[in-house]
Amino acid sequence: SALNGKKIQLLISDTGGGHRASAISIRDQISALDPSVSCDIVDVYTTYCKVFPFNSYPDLYKLMVTLFDGVLWKLFYEGGDTDPGLWFNQLLTETFCYSEFKKCLLRPGLNLDPSLKDGTEKYSVPEDGGRPADMYVSVHPLTQSLPLKILQETKVNSPFITVCTDLGSASQSWFDYRCDKIIVPTEVLREKAVRTCRKFMMRDSLMMTSTPKEYDTEKVEVIGLPIRSGFEPSKDKAEYKTDLNLDPSKPNVLIVGGGDGMGGIVETANACISSLNGLASVTVICGSNAEAKKNLEGLHGSNGDVLVTGYTPSMPSYMNSADLMVTKAGPGSIAEASVCGLPIIMYSFLPGQEEGNISLVEEEGWGKYVKDPAEIGRLAKVWLEDGEGIEKRKERARKGGRQEAARDIAKVLLEELELCS
Ligand code: UDP
């Protein structure tokens, strides 16, 4: 292949499960399209940074989204998304993580060396810049600004592309006008990306740190949210149910709280089980929330209509066995449900970040946000009993589904790599 031996660094931070999942789906599709290109996924903050809080983002994120019902997260997220908030965060990251980020971006090979943690590894850049990696792809809102600055200062001219993995709303920090391309999943985010890039380009030209130009809106492309393969149904729903030992003659309600089983999953599951009372089977996926799993198993273990499980790699099978999903409004889960044609009731969301996901699904007419567990249980029953209504919702869900997004993104990345070679 013309791209033989090319290297791509995919930059993430493991806050939530979605960024790594999307990065993996892109890497897998690149390997399928051109096995001679190698990709490396790296959580820059935990692998390289030594200073708190930068080296503890994933744990802090988990803590903040659960503490005080998400209020702390809301303040942090909304404050950080203002122009002064962005500026301040960039200043701190630059002050405390500049040399660590530089080490990551400029390492000559792609494979992570365990000795990196103690900073003993050597890296070098040719005098004229050159290309330690042939392309950089950011799959996180906090791996844009500083990497772009470092690459510019070290004269590394490899293309830098952002793949945004939020859906209906996203922080401004995702969108940096210096990126060669920004790939977004929805029209709402395309508009936000263009607006944000224009604004900061204008600011920088007024501050004389860049020459005044019109932002090239063609740089922003709507493709879809990259998800793993296998969500597109390949057999009848009844078969998926039988495979999971569920009664194929009954509807099945799936309850999920993202990768971490968050946001009152126990109360929500209990309310649904009691409202549906044998009318439907109920499957609860607790993700990494071991306490919720233990609790629900203790309460419903002997009930033949209830299936409780912890983290599962078989999400496509679970989603395709379901007729309705009760879920946290996470972008990954919503994009996957859409491909499965699975209507949803959203019972929780991350303030700021996931609010737009709710409006998106409600506007498309295949899901609804309900907070109160008893009301969720009641609505699940009403929807399942209205056979025609649920079929319409399934159809509307399927309409926006884009199983092929990861493959299409991989194609764009390889095209860009070829153009810049
Ligand atoms: N997921 C999974 N197994 C589980 C629970 C969740 O594979 O047991 C996946 C789910 O399919 C989705 C991701 O975890 O891809 C959750 O992403 P989302 O954006 O919905 O929420 P997050 O956990 O990132 O807040």
Side-chain angles (χ1 to χ4, degrees):
S1 132
L3 298 177
N4 198 5
K6 297 278 180 200
K7 297 170 288 186
I8 304 179
Q9 266 192 37
L10 291 139
L11 311 173
I12 60 161
S13 168
D14 279 312
T15 50
H19 301 286
R20 186 171 288 274
S22 287
I24 290 174
S25 74
I26 296 170
R27 181 197 63 194
D28 290 351
Q29 292 299 334
I30 288 179
S31 304
L33 288 166
D34 190 337
S36 72
V37 175
S38 48
C39 291
D40 182 32
I41 302 172
V42 54
D43 176 336
V44 197
Y45 288 95
T46 45
T47 315
Y48 285 85
C49 297
K50 294 177 198 76
V51 181
F52 184 84
F54 305 99
N55 59 357
S56 310
Y57 272 171
D59 291 339
L60 276 177
Y61 174 81
K62 224 184 219 179
L63 190 70
M64 279 173 98
V65 296
T66 38
L67 227 53
F68 309 118
D69 210 16
V71 174
L72 199 62
W73 175 252
K74 186 181 167 76
L75 289 173
F76 179 78
Y77 181 86
E78 287 175 357
D81 198 25
T82 59
D83 294 359
L86 281 176
W87 173 82
F88 188 57
N89 185 42
Q90 280 166 16
L91 182 75
L92 287 180
T93 315
E94 202 177 315
T95 309
F96 294 106
C97 307
Y98 188 96
S99 57
E100 285 78 11
F101 263 68
K102 190 169 165 183
K103 230 175 240 181
C104 173
L105 297 167
L106 303 189
R107 74 194 130 97
L110 277 183
N111 292 327
L112 282 179
D113 180 339
S115 66
L116 287 175
K117 277 243 170 193
D118 58 34
T120 51
E121 115 288 13
K122 304 234 181 320
Y123 64 95
S124 61
V125 190
E127 283 288 291
D128 60 348
R131 290 182 169 181
D134 299 286
M135 175 183 269
Y136 295 89
V137 179
S138 165
V139 196
H140 195 278
L142 299 180
T143 49
Q144 254 77 244
S145 164
L146 184 55
L148 280 161
K149 187 180 165 93
I150 292 170
L151 294 175
Q152 208 169 30
E153 287 177 0
T154 47
K155 299 195 175 62
V156 174
N157 58 356
S158 310
F160 192 104
I161 298 182
T162 290
V163 178
C164 174
T165 58
D166 272 325
L167 204 58
S169 38
S171 143
Q172 297 195 92
S173 56
W174 272 108
F175 310 122
D176 194 305
Y177 68 88
R178 294 167 295 176
C179 286
D180 295 287
K181 203 174 249 307
I182 299 177
I183 295 170
V184 292
T186 54
E187 187 54 32
V188 202
L189 291 196
R190 193 192 69 80
E191 283 165 23
K192 168 120 189 190
V194 168
R195 232 178 14 250
T196 309
C197 288
R198 275 200 177 127
K199 181 174 78 176
F200 288 119
M201 196 169 194
M202 175 115 52
R203 180 200 64 184
D204 287 358
S205 67
L206 286 173
M207 291 167 66
M208 316 284 257
T209 51
S210 84
T211 37
K213 286 191 291 256
E214 179 64 15
Y215 181 68
D216 177 6
T217 55
E218 303 249 312
K219 284 185 177 179
V220 186
E221 198 173 330
V222 183
I223 299 185
L225 192 112
I227 56 171
R228 287 167 289 174
S229 50
F231 284 93
E232 203 137 70
S234 58
K235 53 190 175 193
D236 284 348
K237 208 170 269 304
E239 276 183 68
Y240 282 104
K241 286 179 186 169
T242 312
D243 290 349
L244 290 170
N245 276 334
L246 295 164
D247 183 346
S249 67
K250 278 186 183 178
N252 177 32
V253 175
L254 177 67
I255 305 180
V256 204
D260 298 326
M262 291 197 300
I265 192 167
V266 173
E267 296 76 6
T268 308
N270 283 338
C272 288
I273 292 164
S274 101
S275 161
L276 292 164
N277 194 21
L279 173 86
S281 50
V282 176
T283 311
V284 194
I285 298 181
C286 302
S288 61
N289 189 342
E291 205 184 313
K293 178 172 180 272
K294 198 170 147 215
N295 198 328
L296 288 167
E297 274 172 347
L299 282 169
H300 309 287
S302 54
N303 182 343
D305 283 321
V306 180
L307 175 66
V308 181
T309 167
Y311 192 89
T312 169
S314 318
M315 217 52 181
S317 306
Y318 280 95
M319 283 199 189
N320 279 307
S321 76
D323 297 86
L324 172 66
M325 177 162 78
V326 178
T327 178
K328 180 175 89 74
S333 305
I334 292 175
E336 292 160 359
S338 180
V339 172
C340 298
L342 179 60
I344 58 180
I345 297 176
M346 293 161 282
Y347 74 92
S348 100
F349 63 90
L350 291 181
Q353 198 175 339
E354 293 179 344
E355 276 162 42
N357 301 349
I358 292 176
S359 11
L360 193 84
V361 173
E362 289 188 341
E363 272 162 33
E364 289 177 357
W366 56 283
K368 192 168 160 40
Y369 169 69
V370 182
K371 189 174 179 207
D372 176 49
E375 178 58 19
I376 295 169
R378 195 196 63 81
L379 190 69
K381 186 160 179 253
V382 170
W383 277 17
L384 289 179
E385 282 175 342
D386 172 16
E388 206 178 304
I390 202 95
E391 283 312 313
K392 273 203 186 116
R393 285 198 176 84
K394 284 182 182 173
E395 227 167 83
R396 289 186 208 130
R398 219 169 278 129
K399 235 176 167 178
R402 300 229 51 220
Q403 174 70 78
E404 65 290 3
R407 195 174 185 83
D408 290 350
I409 291 170
K411 276 186 196 155
V412 169
L413 297 180
L414 291 175
E415 274 166 26
E416 202 73 15
L417 198 56
E418 217 164 326
L419 276 178
C420 298
S421 295

